[in-house]
Each structure stands twice: as structure tokens, then as C-alpha cells.
């Protein structure tokens, strides 16, 4: 008999028909006359209740049905008497696929802490919380592709292995096949990378942007959506060593177009999740964060505030608020500063622009003042920076001068500079940290809880 997914079992026309469901047991309770099994198959947050008439089933048959065991049940779908559920199944046939020994299956009692579940990341998708988070994550990924496809952007796959450091932060994971215990050396004692796999040093990418710019200056508008890697030793609730980034890049856009795109994009994704993952968002709101849905709707329905870094610094300086990190023009903003602007001062998402060039990457378009660049960061409540982007420096000489000032090896950048040598155009783009968006939409508070298998310093399990 064909299986029906539990997400589809609630269709009113199925009432009164025979159905087949398969899934994992959440709970079993009851007495010697009747027993109830809550079954979940991952397709929805909702369990289906299965009623076993103990005149038809023996205690022996029921005993292996413990939390975590996997089953197939065939029976009649009927309207439910119990409150909260609309339908239940009267079991006719039972097949047990696999047992889950109560002595050793870790997801026993209700209400495990998120910390405990992080240690069980291989099984935590079977909990309500992680089922909801992972379905919302999928819904947001789908919304991202849908948004860009509807606007005529092309999905560009940029390399994960690269020899250039886009953000210039030096926080790259090296990729090598050299024997670390027996490194080949050149005559002057340095590592001989000509013997390495690529014939030169290589790393995992920190961003697909530079190659994204090659795509945008050919296809007009592209986006990337893939994993990026940062070897920074940041043990915070908002940093991962491996995270997914979405990077649109558009020829002929300036910073204002870029801000408009970022705001439309993020609102579209949140709205899409509100409409298409409502059950899961409601579940998480109920469990963890009562203001979640209100906060999501607020962001969708209000304009983001736009102001310059210089104006932002002035507000922070005049606030009289005691910050852990000092505030002065030229300082890189810390999460506490960003969140003060968003949560205390404006009470709205903020787009901060025109940062000092010293604290931003080499590729950003230089302003007339000689001090600032056309950067834009989108700052969100509870999150801080969710998007970072800029208009790009399209002038060959200015870009070359900046590359030299920063001591970036020019010979590695020839291909990037060619976009400015041949048919250069104004263009702009940004990067959205996908897990930070998932954090915001799920209301979770630790980024380790919104990616299936988090990688952080000293943690590479599973
Ligand atoms: O601000 P970032 O470093 O910008 C770039 O990489 C640009 N190349 C993007 C572009 O213009 N195409 O990173 C972009 C976003 C941040 O705003 C943040 O949301 C996220 O990526 N991010 C991280 N997310 C999780 N863990 C980390 N370690 C992150 N570092 C950055
Ligand atoms: Mg940034």
C-alpha cells in the first residue's frame, strides 16, 4: 500500500479511507484496552496519533514500540475525539522496522537542553525543535532561489578551493596534499609549493564575491549560494567556521540600488517563511520566543533606517551608554554597538553606509573624501550584522593603488583586475550570512543550532 506523508494526512477527503504511514515513535501511552502512539515522519511538526485497540494487538507486539523505534502502520483514518488533533488512525496492521533500546537511545525524556542536543547532532533532527529549524532552513533556501530567479539573476557556482583571500582577513583554511611530516623545501628553506597538488598554495574560500564579479560583468546579475570557510578563532553565538553565504552581484548597480535589493531580498525571504513555514515558526515561538512572529512581521512591514557610519558613531558617542569596547570614529563596530543602534535607538533594522576605508576590504568604491568607502552593512535586531556589501571600485588605477597600499600580491589578482581593464562598469553586491537569517527567522539564539552539523573551533564531530 502506498505511503501517505503525515504532512498530507490532514486533507479532509482522506477521512474514512485506509492509509499507510511510516515514521518514528515519539511516545506510547495507554492501558490494557487501548494504546496511543504518536508517530512523526519528519514531513511536519505534527504527529499523527495511532490508536491500537488491544483486542486486536497483543502486549508482546506493542512492547517494542518505544520512543525512537520505526514503524509502518496501516489503518483507517478517522476524525479524532481528542482535542488538538483533527484526525487519527485506527491501527489494523503493524510492522516494526527498527527498535530503539530505551536504555541507550539518547532522546528519551522530554525537554533536553540545546547544549545536550548539540552533542547529539547526529540524532537531534529527530526532535521537534530541530525538525522545525531544518524545515525552516529549507524554506528559506528555496525562497532565496525563487527571489533571484523571479528577478532574472543567474545562479553562479564559484569555486570552494581558491588561491585568493577575498576579505583580506587572512583567516583561511589551507588545502594541501603535502606530507606535513615531511615537507618538500626549496633551496632557501621555504616550503616548495610547486610540489603541492595545485603547484601553489591553495585554501578554502572565505567568499565567492571576486568570481561573482566576473559573472556579474558578463551575465549582468548573478548570485552565489554556497559554503564559505573562515578560520577565525571566534567562539561566539554568531560565528561558524563553515557557513553558507548568499552573494548577489549586479552590473550597473550603485550603493542605493544595492541597499534596495538587500532590503527587498531579506523581506521577501522572511515573508516567504511566514507564509510557507507557519506551523514550524509557531511551534518555535511557543517554545522559545513569544515575540518571534511579531518581530518578523515588524521587519517585513517597516522601512529599514539608512544612515552613514559617521552619523552612527555620533549617536553612539552621544548616547551616554557604557560600552565594553570604546566608540570613536575609525573604530570597527562591535555587536554591542550595532545592537544598540538597532534595538535601543532606532528600534528598526538599520543600513549603515560609508565606513572608514581602513576597516573595510580593498575592493570597495572609494568616496571623494579620501577617507570612506561605499560600504553597506545591514544590522538586525538580536543578530547585529546580517549582510555586508558595497559598491565596488571600478576604476583600474584606484583599485590598483589600494591593492598596493595593502600589500596584496598583484600577480595573484591579474584576473580580477581584468574586469576593470576591459569594459569596466559600476557594480555592487553584498553577502548575506545564511545562518544569521535562519537564526533571525527561527528565533534561536545560537548559530550552532541552525545548521545541521556546526563547525567551530575545536569542534569537527559528525
Ligand atoms: O561581511 P562579510 O565578511 O562580507 C563578505 O564576505 C563580502 N565578500 C560579501 C559581498 O560583498 N559579496 O560577510 C558577509 C556576511 C556577514 O554579514 C555575516 O552575515 C556572514 O556573512 N558572516 C558569517 N556568518 C557566520 N559565521 C561567520 N564566521 C561569518 N562571517 C561572516
Ligand atoms: Mg562584514
Amino acid at each position: 500500500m502506498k505511503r501517505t506523508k503525515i504532512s498530507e494526512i490532514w486533507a479532509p477527503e482522506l477521512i474514512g479511507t485506509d492509509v499507510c504511514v511510516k515514521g518514528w515513535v515519539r511516545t506510547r501511552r495507554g492501558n490494557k484496552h487501548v494504546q496511543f502512539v504518536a508517530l512523526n515522519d519528519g514531513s511536519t511538526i505534527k504527529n499523527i496519533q495511532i490508536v491500537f485497540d488491544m483486542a486486536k494487538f497483543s502486549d508482546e507486539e506493542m512492547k517494542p514500540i518505544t520512543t525512537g523505534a520505526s514503524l509502518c502502520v496501516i489503518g483507517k483514518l478517522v476524525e479524532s475525539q481528542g482535542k488538538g488533533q483533527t484526525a487519527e488512525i485506527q491501527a489494523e496492521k503493524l510492522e516494526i522496522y527498527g527498535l530503539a533500546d530505551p536504555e541507550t537511545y539518547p532522546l528519551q525524556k522530554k525537554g533536553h537542553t540545546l547544549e545536550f542536543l548539540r552533542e547529539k547532532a547526529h540524532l537531534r533532527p529527530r526532535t521537534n525543535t530541530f525538525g522545525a529549524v531544518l524545515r525552516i532552513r529549507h524554506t528559506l533556501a528555496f525562497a532565496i532561489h525563487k527571489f533571484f530567479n523571479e528577478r532574472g539573476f543567474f545562479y553562479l557556482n564559484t569555486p570552494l578551493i581558491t588561491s585568493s583571500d577575498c576579505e583580506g582577513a587572512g583567516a583561511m583554511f589551507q588545502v594541501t596534499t603535502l606530507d606535513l611530516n615531511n615537507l618538500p623545501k626549496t633551496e632557501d628553506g621555504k616550503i616548495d609549493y610547486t610540489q603541492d597538488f595545485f603547484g601553489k598554495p591553495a585554501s578554502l574560500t572565505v567568499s565567492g564575491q571576486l568570481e561573482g564579479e566576473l559573472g556579474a560583468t558578463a551575465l549582468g546579475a548573478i548570485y552565489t549560494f554556497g559554503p564559505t570557510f573562515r578560520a577565525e578563532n571566534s567562539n561566539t553565538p554568531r560565528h561558524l567556521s563553515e557557513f553558507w553565504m548568499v552573494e548577489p552581484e549586479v552590473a550597473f548597480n550603485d550603493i542605493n540600488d544595492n541597499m534596495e535589493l538587500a532590503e527587498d531580498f531579506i523581506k521577501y525571504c522572511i515573508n516567504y517563511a511566514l507564509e510557507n513555514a507557519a506551523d514550524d515558526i509557531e511551534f518555535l515561538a511557543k517554545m522559545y520566543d513569544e515575540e518571534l512572529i511579531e518581530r518578523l512581521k515588524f521587519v517585513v512591514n517597516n522601512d529599514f533606517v539608512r544612515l552613514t557610519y559617521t552619523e552612527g558613531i555620533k549617536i553612539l558617542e552621544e548616547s551616554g551608554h557604557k560600552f565594553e569596547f570604546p566608540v570613536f570614529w575609525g573604530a570597527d563596530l562591535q555587536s554591542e554597538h550595532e545592537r544598540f543602534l538597532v534595538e535601543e535607538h532606532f528600534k528598526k533594522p538599520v543600513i549603515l553606509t560609508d565606513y572608514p576605508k581602513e576597516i573595510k576590504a580593498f575592493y570597495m568604491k572609494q568616496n571623494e573624501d579620501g577617507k570612506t568607502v561605499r560600504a553597506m552593512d545591514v544590522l538586525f535586531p538580536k543578530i547585529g550584522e546580517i549582510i555586508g556589501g558595497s559598491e565596488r571600485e571600478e576604476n583600474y588605477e584606484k583599485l590598483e593603488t589600494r591593492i598596493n597600499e595593502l600589500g596584496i600580491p598583484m600577480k595573484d589578482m591579474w584576473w580580477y583586475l581584468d574586469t576593470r581593464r576591459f569594459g569596466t562598469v559600476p557594480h555592487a553586491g553584498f553577502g548575506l550570512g545564511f545562518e544569521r537569517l535562519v537564526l533571525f527567522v527561527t528565533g534561536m539564539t545560537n548559530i550552532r543550532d541552525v545548521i545541521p552539523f556546526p563547525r567551530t573551533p575545536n569542534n569537527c564531530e559528525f
Side-chain angles (χ1 to χ4, degrees), residues 167 230 338 360 364 376-377 385 387-389 431 436:
E167 292 306 297
R230 301 212 178 167
E338 295 171 344
K360 290 292 180 186
M364 296 192 179
M376 51 157 253
D377 278 7
E385 180 190 335
I387 281 180
R436 293 197 185 172

